[in-house]
Amino acid sequence: MSKPQIPDAATQLEIFRRMALLKGNDVRSRKVIGSGRLMMPYYSYRGQEVIPAALSVNLTDEDYLVTIYRGIHDMLAKGLPLKDLWAEIAGRVDGTCKGKGGPMHLTYPKKGIMVTTGIVGSSMPIANGIAWGSQLSGNGRVTVATFGDAASNIGAFHESLNLASVWKLPVIFLCQNNRWGEHTAYAKATSVARISDRAAAYGMPGIHVDGNDPFAMYAAAREAVERARAGEGPTLIEAMTFRFYGHVFGDADAYMDPAEKAEHVAADPYPIFRARLIADGVANETDLAAIEADVEARLDEAVAFALASPFPDLSELTTDVFGEAA
Amino acid sequence: MSKPQIPDAATQLEIFRRMALLKGNDVRSRKVIGSGRLMMPYYSYRGQEVIPAALSVNLTDEDYLVTIYRGIHDMLAKGLPLKDLWAEIAGRVDGTCKGKGGPMHLTYPKKGIMVTTGIVGSSMPIANGIAWGSQLSGNGRVTVATFGDAASNIGAFHESLNLASVWKLPVIFLCQNNRWGEHTAYAKATSVARISDRAAAYGMPGIHVDGNDPFAMYAAAREAVERARAGEGPTLIEAMTFRFYGHVFGDADAYMDPAEKAEHVAADPYPIFRARLIADGVANETDLAAIEADVEARLDEAVAFALASPFPDLSELTTDVFGEAA
Amino acid sequence: MSAETVAEAAPAIATKPSNIVEAINMALADAMAEDPAVLVLGEDIADPEGGGVVGITRGLSTRFGEHRVRSTPISEQAIIGAAIGASLVGYKPVAEIMLMNFTTVAMDMIVNHAAKLRYMSGGQTNVPIVIRTMTGAGYASGGQHSDYLEAWFAHVAGIKVVAPSNPIDAYGLMRSAIDDPDPVMVIENLPLYRIAGERAVSGTRIPIGKARIAAAGTDITIVSYSRMLHECQTALATLAEAGISAELIDLRTIAPWDQETVCTSVAKTGRCLIVHEAVTPFGPGAEIAAILSDRFFGKLKAPVGRMGGSFNPVPFSRPLETAHVPGAQRIAETAITLVRAGA
Amino acid sequence: MSAETVAEAAPAIATKPSNIVEAINMALADAMAEDPAVLVLGEDIADPEGGGVVGITRGLSTRFGEHRVRSTPISEQAIIGAAIGASLVGYKPVAEIMLMNFTTVAMDMIVNHAAKLRYMSGGQTNVPIVIRTMTGAGYASGGQHSDYLEAWFAHVAGIKVVAPSNPIDAYGLMRSAIDDPDPVMVIENLPLYRIAGERAVSGTRIPIGKARIAAAGTDITIVSYSRMLHECQTALATLAEAGISAELIDLRTIAPWDQETVCTSVAKTGRCLIVHEAVTPFGPGAEIAAILSDRFFGKLKAPVGRMGGSFNPVPFSRPLETAHVPGAQRIAETAITLVRAGA
Ligand SMILES: Cc1ncc(C[n+]2csc(CCOP(=O)(O)OP(=O)(O)O)c2C)c(N)n1
Ligand SMILES: Cc1ncc(C[n+]2csc(CCOP(=O)(O)OP(=O)(O)O)c2C)c(N)n1
Ligand SMILES: [Mg+2]
Ligand SMILES: [Mg+2]
């Protein structure tokens, strides 16, 4: 791994801006769902904001993302518009997928968000295919497949990393290791200390990084993106993080040692990075407060827009099953 | 890996006896099928005899085997009776499976031969379950799952090795690396130089061994068997070997570099080990010739028995689909 | 709300005197207590992991030990493989594939192996495993978490499929599935889990392949199972008001389905409507309709009706999700049309 | 003989003027030459690997390059995933899953993803892929290499299924499948690969969803496809001797099947027999029989007949394997019974 590169001030601020958007959106989502105004399976990503924020500043709108049910943070960082997001999770016709996909299948090709899957491990085989397309057309685009730690134990992970390596595909396998797979602790299901060590089984570089450290995550992502763009093949990144609010909304985390959770929540990367930006003089309290206020304003707007949007017409039930043969 | 252990003279001779049986059976099989007397998909194992011969002398009849379409050598070494084998591949009622399974599904629980699968990779998940049973009952039995090099790229391999490691199962994953997966050369499909290196991805010991060297193979198998019996968990063994007669009967190996093939055939482990036994004074020409003559005689008998055995009654078509609820 | 939150949401829908969650938990506990060969495995099913995402297996690992009740990695092929292997050496594993859509990553183990080993071995081996799986529309879980795929398994020789609609059947069918010498898939419906119902008597069995007359009637036979049985039940009132006496049959087992009970009823009513949540084309209803149309050729008063999910993936948006599956109102209307047509 | 040796065995059964192997090879070559977006991937399919185990893709990688014609590891999930992904960014991949039983390790990619992405994305994306797969009894390949599973895919919204019985259809259906904006599964029968047949005209298309009248008749409609179509053809002679004029329909597409053509024929004959190799229970014939029994309620001269493989895994032993699938003789007898019954 080449020596870490510190993002410049503007980039640091941009990473924070995205973290603020992600955090604000999760807080608002849990509030709205908790109030009963919306009903859906919601997989909170609170605590994991740094990973997509620091990754996405290394990507362009043309680069591709294939993410999972716990992927709204990945998508917002990649540019998914708030209104389209909220209308979709509200099941309304103005949503990204006209309400037919929902939170587990958000899709927004305009920003390279190609697939969101609800099946553990299934982001990876599809990401390979998109990357194969970039390799064929030579468009220099990078495809990122995100997945969780427990997903590294399913067959699709293995087949995908092997194929990507043999075909030298411009793809990044980004494992967000939040130490839990639903109710099961990492070590009880996973036979290796570090998922990044599995990269060696595919002759692929593996990076183990603190996914809650914006600079370290930025450097890791940048290294992998540069490798992919240079046509030097795939990278497996294991970004260490933690899931603050259980597996899915309503899960009280009863199976978790409260001490473990408390320790991680105490190390919440958001306030830490916020304070650091001020300490380093990258921004002052007013700047950051303004960013956060702006997020709240946009959320107010998006939620209102979503709830005011109509449900899809019943005729939508059986459309989009097949297209028109050319 | 503990220092290799040389098998005693009796064991060396027993390994040769099994190799002679395996080689003789393959030669005879290709002869009979080539003559048109029998029709089946036949996957020659010629050149791979050392692996099961040196493994099986470390096993008892109570230990378990789950093998694949290219597994008749594994089964004969484990004790599959020749007559039952031949009647089965002839599709006759006296076969192990009454002719209903055929060469890809030979089964003989009396000798611990539990499953033969025609699906690449599928021997491993099932072997884990049998090993779980041994772990539960504490019967000290070992389960061996055999598979090929190309099978190490399919999802079932990954899921199985991870589970076996996490559960510390008494199972051995024996990869017979004959350097080809059907018509595809090893390196074109596999992203790691040595399959045994994949063991590290599962916190499991991996052994890379010359599967054509009876002593090295014996030592590797013994180490893995001892580990499993001691309750210390699974082992991945990669045994290097070569497939002399193409993927399946009728395959002319046109895609293979003739030089590569010639080199391996020239290093045929059978004559080499045979000569070594004589050179080392373990046996003389007469002893070994007698063993080979005995194999031929038993094959004459088995083939005759098979061809004389009747086909199953048509009523067998729909039996054995479901059992009687107790 | 989602599959994973049904457990937490439970208190909301009070459960007296029993429900399907309790019934299956009791069936597993009774079977494990009676027979040390019974094992349970699946994702998050042991107590350190909360005893299952819906709490179905809660208490089992504490009572019987984690060696018999094992939480697994997210590896469905390894889960079914482990169950198959253990069953080959005398154990009776009950494996959970959390949601039915996830059987798609384990089809090789289920179809090429579990269902076929007895036959391919000429009867030397058999695979007495149970595969528990949950599914069903109603929680806005979307296109990859709601499918009913029983028709796939019913089309495979060597595996049986059951789908209980109430606690008594859930208990009795689970016990029979565990007793069965071959693979049995038990389909559990998510929205039905906490619906109150009569408590099963410990030790009872509901035979596989035997349907239940849920309501006697004379004008039309309605065949259903799982959650749709309840929609049909609700429709009965509307039908009664319309002066129609419908005989409602809870199929309980989809493969092998109880042709005798269904045919006896249709012989009496001369009409039949089949209702399931699986999409209609090439669905379970097709086989039943084909058999009845043949068996009662020239004797039916109306064509056999089929109602299933509309032919599309299950949508997320609530109004669409609701419209996707048959509801009591549409069921009643369809039944009335059939009766009037064949009047 | 086996799937893998058909290629080598080829010379044995001389092929003039053309056969299905040549037809599909030509369809792939023509499509790749016309459209640079067309890709081919699968195990052993490039020329260094022999151009496929049956030689279907022989010459393609030499002509179009290994970047467009790629041999893959034995990783069916990765194969279909790669096809799906490439199709999302403008390519038209044709993926081979060597044998239909191997689709069981890729069902998640096919069913949860390829078939559903268009719907779940609200029409923003689509998956124009073709999945080629071979199968069929007749080569003693046994229980895990011979299954017909088209009913599974026909029961999934979002994917189409075709099964050619001759070189002209093989070429035309493959071209239409590649043109199609959604996933299409092409089922190829092993024993039919080298049967001589008329050569397709380059560039022609056979529309998906359109059946073909293989023989005109008036007494009974026989609906079949793939290899069974040939058994039915053979049966026609016996039927003619019995003075029965049968109309034989080659369905060609199983999903969506051509209800118009089939119904027009049955309206004329008043009788129908459906013949396929898939096992009968919950098989493709069930849907067709259910639709016809409904559409022609009270108008049929005999119940709709269904003939499929017996309900068991495909056995290895030749006499059993032969008895497992419908043969010309039994087909003729069944058709005669239906005609006499409804006389
Ligand atoms: C094939 C499959 N099996 C099981 C599930 C149910 N499930 C959904 S998320 C999840 C846990 C995944 O954990 P991890 O990969 O670590 O990702 P995280 O949820 O922690 O972000 C499970 C078991 C599924 N969606 N797909
Ligand atoms: C899931 C699956 N995919 C493809 C095949 C077809 N197939 C049979 S053997 C084989 C090659 C396997 O190679 P390897 O694992 O090295 O074992 P070997 O045959 O060399 O002993 C393939 C692709 C199969 N049987 N199962
Ligand atoms: Mg996790
Ligand atoms: Mg090999």
Side-chain angles (χ1 to χ4, degrees), chain D residues 259-342:
Chain D
Q259 298 193 23
E260 188 187 344
T261 298
V262 173
C263 289
T264 306
S265 174
V266 174
K268 178 177 66 178
T269 62
R271 305 182 183 88
C272 186
L273 172 62
I274 304 144
V275 184
H276 53 61
E277 198 166 321
V279 297
T280 304
F282 297 86
E287 177 68 21
I288 298 170
I291 293 278
L292 293 177
S293 300
D294 174 69
R295 201 71 61 78
F296 294 98
F297 183 71
K299 300 194 190 66
L300 292 171
K301 300 185 186 132
V304 177
R306 289 188 290 157
M307 293 182 75
S310 55
F311 198 47
N312 52 265
V314 179
F316 166 74
S317 185
R318 298 313 306 288
L320 298 187
E321 186 189 27
T322 306
H324 169 63
V325 297
Q329 192 48 41
R330 262 173 53 222
I331 293 168
E333 286 160 13
T334 309
I336 291 171
T337 314
L338 286 173
V339 174
R340 302 265 157 90

Side-chain angles (χ1 to χ4, degrees), chain A:
Chain A
M1 173 164 171
S2 57
K3 68 181 289 298
Q5 326 177 15
I6 302 292
D8 57 33
T11 306
Q12 291 185 32
L13 205 54
E14 181 54 30
I15 291 174
F16 176 80
R17 195 173 282 109
R18 298 186 190 195
M19 282 171 63
L21 170 65
L22 275 45
K23 171 172 173 291
N25 184 74
D26 180 78
V27 172
R28 183 68 63 100
S29 299
R30 284 180 287 107
K31 191 149 151 281
V32 172
I33 296 164
S35 74
R37 271 175 296 166
L38 291 183
M39 159 176 168
M40 76 193 74
Y42 179 73
Y43 302 87
S44 171
Y45 52 80
R46 186 67 262 281
Q48 305 183 193
E49 294 90 345
V50 169
I51 298 169
L55 161 76
S56 58
V57 294
N58 288 289
L59 301 174
T60 73
D61 286 356
E62 282 61 50
D63 291 318
Y64 297 109
L65 172 70
V66 181
T67 183
I68 61 173
Y69 52 90
R70 193 186 314 283
I72 290 177
H73 56 324
D74 300 329
M75 292 183 268
L76 284 174
K78 188 76 175 61
L80 178 65
L82 272 181
K83 286 181 173 178
D84 306 60
L85 163 66
W86 276 87
E88 184 61 29
I89 65 175
R92 310 307 169 99
V93 71
D94 294 312
T96 54
C97 313
K98 297 188 279 184
K100 294 159 100 166
M104 277 200 267
H105 306 300
L106 288 152
T107 311
Y108 197 71
K110 290 195 203 76
K111 294 285 187 176
I113 299 161
M114 304 309 291
V115 177
T116 300
T117 184
I119 307 296
V120 164
S122 297
S123 56
M124 293 172 269
I126 296 173
N128 275 344
I130 297 173
W132 181 26
S134 297
Q135 184 182 61
L136 284 165
S137 61
N139 60 21
R141 297 179 187 175
V142 172
T143 301
V144 178
T146 71
F147 57 99
D149 46 293
S152 75
N153 296 323
I154 200 162
F157 165 89
H158 181 69
E159 295 189 9
S160 301
L161 270 71
N162 182 65
L163 186 81
S165 179
V166 171
W167 287 10
K168 238 170 179 301
L169 297 174
V171 61
I172 296 169
F173 298 101
L174 175 57
C175 178
Q176 301 188 25
N177 185 345
N178 58 18
R179 301 152 206 263
W180 290 84
E182 264 186 4
H183 306 183
T184 302
Y186 177 89
K188 195 161 183 177
T190 313
S191 55
V192 66
R194 292 181 164 196
I195 287 163
S196 54
D197 292 343
R198 285 184 166 165
Y202 311 105
M204 185 188 300
I207 302 175
H208 180 86
V209 62
D210 177 353
N212 287 356
D213 175 339
F215 294 176
M217 186 62 214
Y218 172 85
R222 179 159 180 151
E223 177 191 341
V225 169
E226 282 171 355
R227 179 177 297 118
R229 286 211 204 286
E232 290 160 13
T235 304
L236 169 62
I237 298 176
E238 175 184 28
M240 302 307 296
T241 185
F242 199 79
R243 183 191 85 182
F244 286 6
Y245 290 96
H247 172 61
V248 67
F249 189 84
D251 169 6
D253 263 354
Y255 44 83
M256 215 185 260
D257 169 7
E260 178 195 1
K261 187 169 173 176
E263 173 201 322
H264 285 285
V265 172
D268 186 343
Y270 185 82
I272 292 174
F273 188 51
R274 192 182 193 285
R276 177 178 188 154
L277 289 178
I278 295 171
D280 294 355
V282 173
N284 59 41
E285 173 59 35
T286 327
D287 304 328
L288 305 188
I291 289 175
E292 288 160 334
D294 173 61
V295 165
E296 290 309 310
R298 287 166 57 203
L299 279 166
D300 294 340
E301 214 188 332
V303 174
F305 172 81
L307 296 177
S309 170
F311 283 104
D313 185 272
L314 287 189
S315 64
E316 282 288 344
L317 178 61
T318 51
T319 60
D320 299 320
V321 176
F322 291 108
E324 291 306 311

